[in-house]
Amino acid sequence: MMGPRQVDQAPLFYEFSLERHVPSAHLLRAIDRFVDLSDIRSHLAPFYSSTGRPSIDPELLVRMLLVGYCYGIRSERRLCEEVHLNLAYRWFCRLGLDGEVPDHSTFSKNRHGRFRDCDLLRKLFETVVRRCMAEGLVDGAAFAVDASLIAADANKQRSTAGSDDVDWEAIARTRRSVREYLDTLDEAAWGAASETVPKFISRSDPAAQWTGAHKGHAFFAYADNYPIDLKAAIIVDVEATRAIRQAEVGAARTMIERTGERLGLCPERLAADSAYGSAEMLGWLVNEHAIEPHIPVFDKSARDDGTFSREDFAYDQEHDLYVCPAGKVLSSTGTLVNDGATLLYRASKYDCDACELKPRCCPKMPARKVPRSIHEQARDVARDIAKTDAYVKSRRERKKIEMLFAHLKRILRLDRLRLRGPLGARDEFLLAATAQNLRKLAKMIVPPALKPA
């Protein structure tokens, strides 16, 4: 028979423990083991007043932000609601059952103020990377670097043509993102990355780049740049830049140097795609940092008109000259041309006029000229590496960084920024990378109690 619903008399007293109600295998419990916020107050101390009423605990704000980025909760308003209702979130944030969740507006004030003033989010990111190093997930032998486009919070309908005359100083008085744009015009990762005027500029976020790189509809975007350690795909640095190749390559240099200075990581080899295979970049890697470039060489010297390409000319390093297919010599005066990084090796007009191979070599010129980059030796090193088994392995391992970007967009839902300006993009990228590293730690370093017998 169908019985009535039993309603028990409520007890007079309850005993409830959050600790007992968060499962031992819960992601936040696994992550909590690696969250070290012991230095957060010392970093922020100079930015708080010694008088007045007590502030919101900064550790609570950071823990809530980590929850949001670990679970793809992008809205701070929704994050406050979720932390209020979710027992596991309350446990991770040390709120207990009766703890009051701060208002969503508190995050904006601290992000744009104290957190940026002391570069707290980068310090937090580097603390997590050092923990990864301590756990043996980073060995510093091999890095891979790449960038991915993240859509900006900017609308085409509210943009202006790049050639239009706009009083940005007037707009900057009321918009923080425009002020940040003006402050970064001379930086290599932003305004100074290219002299090309963009087709459109967003009035709300002018630092965002108008790009059609995805071969579909163009949009405003920032570039999220990662170098990862290939042992366990741990992100070792993060940089936000304009979404153009020059800025991304420059960011790779900045991040490699910064990981060496701050973390003591100096890779022996670097894997990347052909966008990083310019002569200047390869020269920087080989000659200045002794890093093996496992990178395809960016080379446009091949010809498709049937005439000899540069690779058909043999270079004699000892005598600094080229030998053509007919055995004649091409020499250089040593004067740099074009971009100041190229030497021209010229053949004798007398030799070319009498050569039977002239129709296949220089049919439209009196004598053949062969350009050679001052970084050509580094390009040759990269070409030699490309013939090895280690290069094939690096190309295969480089896919790990592409998987991280896919995880970033699909799981952590960072396919579009919520914050504006270069600093807003940097903050979001740092928090997302911190969350990815914490999730990797939680997955790979299993506590003894959870290991199978």
Side-chain angles (χ1 to χ4, degrees):
M1 61 177 291
M2 182 181 295
R5 185 168 71 92
Q6 301 295 322
V7 180
D8 296 331
Q9 182 178 357
L12 295 176
F13 301 98
Y14 286 94
E15 182 180 351
F16 188 90
S17 171
L18 276 179
E19 183 69 30
R20 292 201 306 267
H21 281 75
V22 178
S24 59
H26 196 281
L27 175 63
L28 286 181
R29 188 179 285 278
I31 286 176
D32 187 63
R33 297 178 294 131
F34 306 106
V35 177
D36 181 9
L37 301 178
S38 57
D39 295 332
I40 187 172
R41 287 177 175 79
S42 61
H43 293 319
L44 290 170
F47 304 96
Y48 280 90
S49 173
S50 58
T51 60
R53 63 180 184 178
S55 67
I56 301 294
D57 184 3
E59 181 175 344
L60 169 60
L61 298 178
V62 171
R63 284 183 174 273
M64 288 181 65
L65 287 172
L66 290 177
V67 168
Y69 278 83
C70 282
Y71 284 94
I73 305 173
R74 307 295 313 290
S75 166
E76 291 162 356
R77 189 185 298 270
R78 184 184 159 217
L79 175 62
C80 293
E81 295 172 355
E82 293 290 337
V83 171
H84 177 72
L85 296 172
N86 192 297
L87 294 180
Y89 295 174
R90 280 185 166 271
W91 174 85
F92 181 80
C93 295
R94 309 293 192 264
L95 276 173
L97 282 175
D98 300 324
E100 185 176 351
V101 178
D103 187 76
H104 64 89
S105 62
T106 307
F107 289 97
S108 178
K109 183 174 180 60
N110 282 275
R111 269 184 167 178
H112 295 135
R114 302 182 183 97
F115 288 4
R116 288 182 182 174
D117 291 340
C118 73
D119 205 9
L120 180 67
L121 299 182
R122 181 165 293 280
K123 291 182 173 68
L124 174 65
F125 168 79
E126 291 177 352
T127 298
V128 174
V129 175
R130 291 189 181 92
R131 183 60 186 269
C132 294
M133 295 167 63
E135 296 290 346
L137 301 183
V138 176
D139 60 13
F143 281 7
V145 66
D146 205 353
S148 184
L149 300 187
I150 307 295
D153 184 21
N155 195 316
K156 164 66 168 58
Q157 278 66 40
R158 298 181 181 179
S159 65
T160 183
S163 57
D164 288 351
D165 187 15
V166 180
D167 188 356
W168 293 111
E169 286 289 351
I171 303 176
R173 297 189 188 100
T174 57
R175 292 185 182 174
R176 182 184 291 107
S177 59
V178 178
R179 172 49 55 194
E180 293 175 13
Y181 160 72
L182 295 177
D183 291 342
T184 57
L185 285 177
D186 296 329
E187 295 185 13
W190 302 100
S194 173
E195 296 181 357
T196 303
V197 178
K199 185 175 182 180
F200 297 104
I201 300 178
S202 168
R203 286 179 173 268
S204 58
D205 193 355
Q209 180 77 27
W210 179 255
T211 177
H214 285 173
K215 308 302 181 184
H217 293 294
F219 60 103
F220 289 107
Y222 285 93
D224 187 5
N225 298 268
Y226 281 178
I228 67 168
D229 185 275
L230 287 176
K231 180 178 181 180
I234 296 297
I235 305 163
V236 295
D237 205 343
V238 186
E239 188 76 5
T241 65
R242 286 177 65 186
I244 56 175
R245 184 177 61 86
Q246 300 93 314
E248 294 165 7
V249 173
R253 295 191 192 187
T254 299
M255 293 184 295
I256 290 171
E257 290 178 338
R258 188 161 53 204
T259 53
E261 294 170 358
R262 299 194 180 188
L263 302 173
L265 297 175
C266 300
E268 299 172 4
R269 65 182 189 273
L270 177 71
D273 60 27
S274 59
Y276 300 85
S278 65
E280 185 180 2
M281 179 65 179
L282 294 175
W284 183 84
L285 289 170
V286 174
N287 300 325
E288 297 185 30
H289 293 270
I291 298 174
E292 293 183 4
H294 289 225
I295 304 171
V297 177
F298 187 78
D299 191 352
K300 292 185 176 180
S301 64
R303 296 189 175 187
D304 56 5
D305 59 357
T307 59
F308 293 131
S309 299
R310 185 172 58 194
E311 63 181 13
D312 296 314
F313 293 74
Y315 180 68
D316 184 342
Q317 185 173 357
E318 182 180 354
H319 299 95
D320 188 25
L321 52 83
Y322 275 96
V323 179
C324 76
K328 302 301 181 180
V329 171
L330 289 80
S331 59
S332 172
T333 62
T335 302
L336 296 175
V337 297
N338 298 338
D339 54 0
T342 303
L343 291 169
L344 273 184
Y345 290 75
R346 294 178 173 87
S348 166
K349 183 177 182 300
Y350 176 82
D351 290 336
C352 290
D353 286 341
C355 183
E356 60 182 11
L357 296 179
K358 189 176 190 303
R360 292 187 58 196
C361 185
C362 53
K364 299 180 180 180
M365 296 186 297
R368 181 61 188 260
K369 295 184 290 186
V370 174
R372 179 180 174 85
S373 168
I374 60 174
H375 305 295
E376 195 65 31
Q377 184 178 1
R379 286 155 60 92
D380 290 338
V381 169
R383 293 187 184 102
D384 292 339
I385 291 174
K387 303 172 184 176
T388 65
D389 293 337
Y391 176 84
V392 176
K393 179 182 178 182
S394 293
R395 298 296 295 169
R396 183 173 63 252
E397 291 181 331
R398 197 184 68 82
K399 295 179 182 178
K400 294 178 180 179
I401 197 168
E402 296 172 357
M403 294 170 64
L404 279 170
F405 284 129
H407 178 269
L408 176 74
K409 296 178 181 179
R410 296 181 183 180
I411 306 301
L412 302 191
R413 301 176 185 175
L414 189 64
D415 54 353
R416 183 182 178 91
L417 294 172
R418 294 189 68 254
L419 303 183
R420 292 173 176 171
L423 296 181
R426 182 197 65 182
D427 290 352
E428 291 219 59
F429 294 161
L430 280 169
L431 278 167
T434 302
Q436 287 184 289
N437 282 345
L438 285 171
R439 289 174 65 111
K440 182 63 67 71
L441 275 167
K443 178 181 178 180
M444 301 191 70
I445 310 298
V446 182
L450 297 180
K451 290 183 178 180

